[in-house]
Amino acid sequence: LLHELPIAASRAALREAMRVLRPGGVLAVLDVDPRRLLELPPLRRWAFQVTEPWCKDGEYYALDLEAELPGMGFEEVRLLSNDPVNSLALARKRAA
């Protein structure tokens, strides 16, 4: 989902997730890992970028969930490999 959005909208969606999660709740974001996209062979990266405007223009590459989520109040942030292109970000809302 986040790779489909401008970075401001991605941040807004993450802030909204923080707002609606109950204390101790877990956020799970499975999405394209921007760092891994940059490691793809040029033709494969191009094939992805031409269909994804926020990747094509480079904006999505600036989204760093490991840095963004703690700044929004999440803790226990972990980024896990899922497959050659995607990653799973897990984070917990602080308990009350």
Side-chain angles (χ1 to χ4, degrees):
L1 170 70
L2 298 180
H3 74 271
E4 300 288 354
L5 302 172
I7 198 163
S10 294
R11 289 178 175 138
L14 294 168
R15 284 191 301 274
E16 181 65 6
M18 170 57 89
R19 187 186 72 77
V20 300
L21 271 174
R22 67 178 180 209
V26 174
L27 171 72
V29 177
L30 178 62
D31 206 343
V32 178
D33 186 330
R35 294 171 298 188
R36 296 169 109 188
L37 278 180
L38 293 171
E39 296 170 357
L40 291 175
L43 184 58
R44 185 158 180 220
R45 186 173 57 242
W46 173 84
F48 181 82
Q49 290 174 325
V50 295
T51 63
E52 305 295 343
W54 303 110
C55 293
K56 177 182 166 195
D57 296 333
E59 190 168 335
Y60 182 65
Y61 300 116
L63 183 63
D64 179 356
L65 292 178
E66 290 176 299
E68 299 271 349
L69 295 174
M72 295 176 181
F74 287 98
E75 58 187 17
E76 299 177 35
V77 176
R78 294 184 295 157
L79 197 60
L80 309 168
S81 294
N82 185 59
D83 62 35
V85 178
N86 297 299
S87 65
L88 174 64
L90 297 172
R92 183 176 308 279
K93 182 176 181 176
R94 290 186 184 112

